[in-house]
């Protein structure tokens, strides 16, 4: 629940990301507002920051990303911060 609250706050404050809050589980689907495919986004994000997300194209859901949030709270905060910085440069 703590990590889901962190993800909620991050999504609420990240202008290029939206999502439907998950009701259960440990993953969420993020909708992004960038003019690039999800595989390119994920490859670039990982190469530049080390942050790994699953591209929606792997799930036949282009324009979406899958994020797991059942990790250490500090790891989640750091990863989301790196993702925000990366998005801000786009």
């Amino acid at each position: 629940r703590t990590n889901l609250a962190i993800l909620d706050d991050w999504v609420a404050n990240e202008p290029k990301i939206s999502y439907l809050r998950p009701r259960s589980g440990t993953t969420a689907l993020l909708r992004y507002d960038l003019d690039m495919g999800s595989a390119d986004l994920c490859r670039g994000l990982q190469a530049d920051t080390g942050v790994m997300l699953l591209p929606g194209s792997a799930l036949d859901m282009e324009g979406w990303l899958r994020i797991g949030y059942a990790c250490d709270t500090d790891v989640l905060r750091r990863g989301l911060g790196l993702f925000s910085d990366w998005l801000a440069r786009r």
Side-chain angles (χ1 to χ4, degrees):
R1 291 182 190 175
T2 298
N3 284 3
L4 181 54
I6 291 167
L7 183 60
D8 276 337
D9 289 342
W10 179 79
V11 169
N13 291 294
E14 181 51 61
K16 295 179 181 172
I17 300 290
S18 61
Y19 85 144
L20 293 175
R21 187 179 194 273
R23 293 181 187 187
S24 63
T26 59
T27 62
L29 292 171
L30 307 174
R31 180 82 169 142
Y32 65 91
D33 184 20
L34 289 172
D35 189 24
M36 66 185 343
S38 60
D40 289 338
L41 185 154
C42 288
R43 278 192 293 271
L45 178 65
Q46 186 178 21
D48 295 346
T49 68
V51 173
M52 186 185 329
L53 300 174
L54 180 74
S57 60
L59 306 167
D60 290 327
M61 296 180 67
E62 187 57 71
W64 293 82
L65 308 165
R66 191 177 95 174
I67 184 172
Y69 58 89
C71 56
D72 180 81
T73 299
D74 291 334
V75 169
L76 180 63
R77 283 190 176 115
R78 178 160 166 71
L80 292 174
L82 289 167
F83 189 18
S84 283
D85 291 345
W86 189 88
L87 287 169
R89 293 190 304 268
R90 274 108 216 103

